[in-house]
Amino acid sequence: MLSTMGRHSSSIVSHSIPVVSVCIAALLLSNVIIYLYLDSVYQTDEHLVSPQMGCVPQHFKISTMKNCTPWLQCSQINSEVRKLKMIGQGAVKKVYLAEWRGQKVALSKLASMDYLEDFVHGLSMLQALQGPQVVQLVGSCLEDQTLVTEHHPLGSLLNLDGVLAQEQHKQHNTWQIRLRLATDYVSILHYLHNSPAGCRVMCDSNSLEKTLSQFLLTNDFHLVVNDLDALPEVDSSKGSFVKCGHRELTGDFVAPEQLWPFRDSRKPFSDNLMPEYDEKTDIWKIPDVTWFLMGKVPGGDLVHFHLFQIHEECKKEDPKLRPSALDVLKVYKSVYSSMVQDNFGFRDML
């Protein structure tokens, strides 16, 4: 009887071992699939690799171009770039859809000589910060106050909901795509705060709408920062901080340290008495931008739940207590990864 039971139990063990092995193998395989999927979405700690990554400095490669070309100079812009129609206008620049050798480009011209300093600053930032997270510079002509950049037909991030409502893009209206865009946004902030040109603050971001207008939506649903006209530098080691403009800022979107500190005592605003601040003003705005980017899609509430703690930290009154853009970026990527894994059915397998 005992020998029979022994044989029976050993039979169960021998049959269960292959089953366990199969489960472990399936789990490992799924891990590999998840890793490869996430690696394809985020190939580096920054942004999806873009065409200009293969070009040497002061060269560009857009759309269907096979080879890199030096930035266009005045003579080439004047003779080869053909203006088609106006597609946007701000205080600093008028932007036109244009064509260069069969390629669609964006041609920007100074709107008023009052903003020449801003225009020159924006051009210098475009030249210094070229990379996969910044719109690609095609050429410039300072004497004509003109610059040419890559054209992104989906437009600014302000158009996101309208773009995703179009029939050909409805399949992209998911929490995955929207969270990826939010992650791109935070990744761009991390790049600007640690850029080759020093720690740069996005000063042209005093409202949600203005902030969204600084970014362009690419055809593969990523983000590039486009408007760099107001990027002052912070250097805390030298005690060098910034003020975004010389007028009083108001509203809940801007960080507390950007508000006039004597407003409760009804003391009139004075730019000379207004304290300076640092890049943590950008961190304060992250939750509001992400809230817009997530929209109202299935799974969006779960994303907000997972991001609740880091967003609470972003909204600390004391800027020193707020996380860095890199801290936020790590959480965003972790949330994305864990939610993708859940969608792959990890819990069911276990």
Side-chain angles (χ1 to χ4, degrees):
M1 180 69 176
L2 289 175
S3 62
T4 302
M5 290 177 63
R7 285 195 302 270
H8 180 66
S9 60
S10 64
S11 175
I12 292 174
V13 171
S14 64
H15 280 84
S16 59
I17 289 174
V19 172
V20 172
S21 300
V22 169
C23 290
I24 292 174
L27 188 60
L28 290 173
L29 179 60
S30 298
N31 265 312
V32 172
I33 293 172
I34 294 290
Y35 174 81
L36 291 174
Y37 173 75
L38 292 174
D39 191 54
S40 71
V41 174
Y42 295 107
Q43 295 181 26
T44 69
D45 281 341
E46 305 297 340
H47 194 273
L48 193 70
V49 175
S50 72
Q52 82 244 43
M53 289 290 283
C55 294
V56 297
Q58 300 185 18
H59 287 65
F60 70 94
K61 183 171 68 174
I62 58 176
S63 191
T64 57
M65 291 175 60
K66 294 182 178 179
N67 300 313
C68 298
T69 299
W71 286 342
L72 305 184
Q73 304 302 314
C74 292
S75 60
Q76 295 165 299
I77 292 174
N78 291 330
S79 63
E80 299 179 22
V81 177
R82 184 168 61 95
K83 189 192 305 181
L84 299 178
K85 64 177 181 179
M86 183 183 289
I87 55 175
Q89 180 173 359
V92 179
K93 299 186 293 285
K94 293 180 180 179
V95 185
Y96 300 87
L97 176 64
E99 192 173 58
W100 172 77
R101 297 185 182 179
Q103 305 280 357
K104 292 293 189 297
V105 293
L107 175 68
S108 299
K109 289 183 169 291
L110 179 65
S112 167
M113 289 302 292
D114 294 338
Y115 295 100
L116 178 60
E117 184 178 345
D118 299 85
F119 182 87
V120 173
H121 174 77
L123 176 57
S124 68
M125 289 293 97
L126 267 179
Q127 293 170 332
L129 300 177
Q130 282 296 285
Q133 294 164 304
V134 178
V135 70
Q136 202 172 174
L137 182 63
V138 171
S140 63
C141 180
L142 195 52
E143 63 189 61
D144 291 337
Q145 299 89 45
T146 300
L147 63 89
V148 183
T149 54
E150 183 176 9
H151 173 59
H152 293 280
L154 296 183
S156 84
L157 200 47
L158 272 171
N159 302 328
L160 178 62
D161 287 337
V163 169
L164 292 175
Q166 296 172 16
E167 194 63 38
Q168 67 268 36
H169 298 307
K170 282 184 177 179
Q171 74 272 20
H172 299 300
N173 192 21
T174 63
W175 72 260
Q176 290 95 330
I177 292 294
R178 286 178 173 271
L179 179 55
R180 195 175 73 184
L181 291 172
T183 305
D184 282 349
Y185 165 66
V186 178
S187 182
I188 289 170
L189 291 183
H190 170 53
Y191 175 65
L192 294 178
H193 294 173
N194 301 272
S195 84
C199 177
R200 296 289 169 167
V201 181
M202 291 200 73
C203 265
D204 228 351
S205 59
N206 297 330
S207 69
L208 176 62
E209 292 74 19
K210 188 63 176 174
T211 302
L212 296 172
S213 70
Q214 310 301 300
F215 299 87
L216 294 176
L217 192 59
T218 66
N219 286 337
D220 60 348
F221 284 88
H222 278 280
L223 294 184
V224 290
V225 63
N226 176 57
D227 195 336
L228 306 177
D229 297 337
L231 281 184
E233 183 181 6
V234 165
D235 189 342
S236 55
S237 66
K238 297 180 180 178
S240 175
F241 300 97
V242 304
K243 285 188 287 187
C244 291
H246 304 287
R247 298 179 181 180
E248 182 178 2
L249 301 178
T250 59
D252 295 330
F253 186 76
V254 296
E257 63 271 25
Q258 293 183 278
L259 300 173
W260 174 237
F262 308 111
R263 59 192 181 282
D264 292 339
S265 61
R266 298 187 178 181
K267 188 174 185 177
F269 176 80
S270 168
D271 184 43
N272 292 330
L273 297 178
M274 180 67 199
E276 295 179 320
Y277 35 82
D278 61 18
E279 76 279 5
K280 291 299 183 74
T281 56
D282 288 337
I283 305 301
W284 171 273
K285 300 163 187 174
I286 289 174
D288 299 298
V289 174
T290 295
W291 187 268
F292 168 83
L293 292 178
M294 289 308 304
K296 297 179 180 179
V297 292
D301 290 342
L302 188 57
V303 172
H304 290 304
F305 174 78
H306 285 306
L307 295 178
F308 179 81
Q309 183 176 345
I310 193 68
H311 283 174
E312 284 280 292
E313 295 173 18
C314 291
K315 289 295 188 179
K316 294 285 188 183
E317 290 284 326
D318 184 350
K320 294 184 178 65
L321 299 179
R322 293 174 206 152
S324 68
L326 179 58
D327 293 331
V328 180
L329 182 59
K330 288 177 179 178
V331 173
Y332 273 47
K333 288 187 175 183
S334 176
V335 169
Y336 186 96
S337 176
S338 64
M339 288 187 64
V340 167
Q341 288 181 4
D342 288 347
N343 272 15
F344 268 82
F346 265 51
R347 291 176 179 174
D348 290 338
M349 290 181 61
L350 296 174

